[in-house]
């Protein structure tokens, strides 16, 4: 009887902590996206107003946002895993698998775009090295 009460109490604590961690991961993702968008906007506005190469500023801004989105997707995948950890229904687990697959593909495509664009931006930024 005492063990049953203890198990119920611990279960409630785990569910509460899981909710807190899930919310925290989602909040971090939101924060990272906001910072990335702000940084990209600052880069673009500063370079577009004060330098002649607006395309370079656009590309560097996209890279900053790409890194931010990639990190935010990782936080969101973690939040989804935490959320599904509590549920033991198969439809929740299938939904988790689908969400992780889509977010992983998005993250992969973002990283591919970043790695392709990085040498171009470095070459534009440092023409003396070529």
């Amino acid at each position: 009887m005492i063990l049953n009460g203890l198990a119920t109490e611990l279960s409630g604590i785990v569910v509460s902590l899981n909710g807190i961690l899930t919310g925290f991961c989602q909040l971090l993702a939101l924060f990272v996206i906001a910072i990335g968008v702000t940084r990209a906007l600052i880069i673009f506005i500063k370079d577009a107003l004060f330098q002649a190469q607006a395309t370079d500023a656009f590309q560097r801004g996209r890279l900053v946002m790409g890194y931010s989105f990639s990190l935010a997707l990782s936080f969101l995948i973690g939040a989804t895993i935490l959320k599904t950890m509590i549920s033991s229904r198969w439809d929740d687990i299938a939904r988790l698998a689908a969400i992780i697959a889509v977010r992983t593909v998005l993250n992969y495509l973002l990283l591919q775009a970043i790695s392709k664009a990085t040498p171009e931006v470095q070459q534009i930024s440092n023409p003396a090295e070529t």
Side-chain angles (χ1 to χ4, degrees):
M1 193 71 165
I2 294 175
L3 288 178
N4 242 355
L6 183 62
T8 304
E9 199 170 311
L10 284 176
S11 177
I13 291 171
V14 168
V15 169
S16 295
L17 286 176
N18 187 294
I20 291 169
L21 283 174
T22 301
F24 185 67
C25 284
Q26 291 171 339
L27 185 65
L28 282 174
L30 180 67
F31 182 70
V32 166
I33 289 172
I35 295 290
V37 169
T38 304
R39 285 184 60 207
L41 185 62
I42 289 170
I43 288 170
F44 180 74
I45 289 174
K46 182 183 74 167
D47 287 358
L49 291 178
F50 300 114
Q51 292 182 359
Q53 293 181 335
T55 56
D56 179 34
F58 178 73
Q59 190 72 317
R60 285 188 295 128
R62 282 183 60 201
L63 282 175
V64 166
M65 280 192 350
Y67 284 124
S68 295
F69 289 168
S70 177
L71 180 59
L73 278 172
S74 298
F75 281 127
L76 290 173
I77 288 172
T80 306
I81 290 170
L82 285 170
K83 196 183 307 180
T84 306
M85 223 171 62
I86 297 298
S87 176
S88 60
R89 296 184 336 207
W90 283 106
D91 60 331
D92 288 338
I93 294 170
R95 189 177 312 127
L96 169 68
I99 289 170
I100 287 177
V102 168
R103 288 182 179 168
T104 302
V105 167
L106 285 173
N107 198 14
Y108 175 76
L109 293 174
L110 271 171
L111 291 176
Q112 289 297 325
I114 288 170
S115 67
K116 243 195 285 189
T118 302
E120 295 171 9
V121 171
Q122 288 175 347
Q123 187 176 16
I124 291 170
S125 298
N126 303 324
E129 293 179 3
T130 57

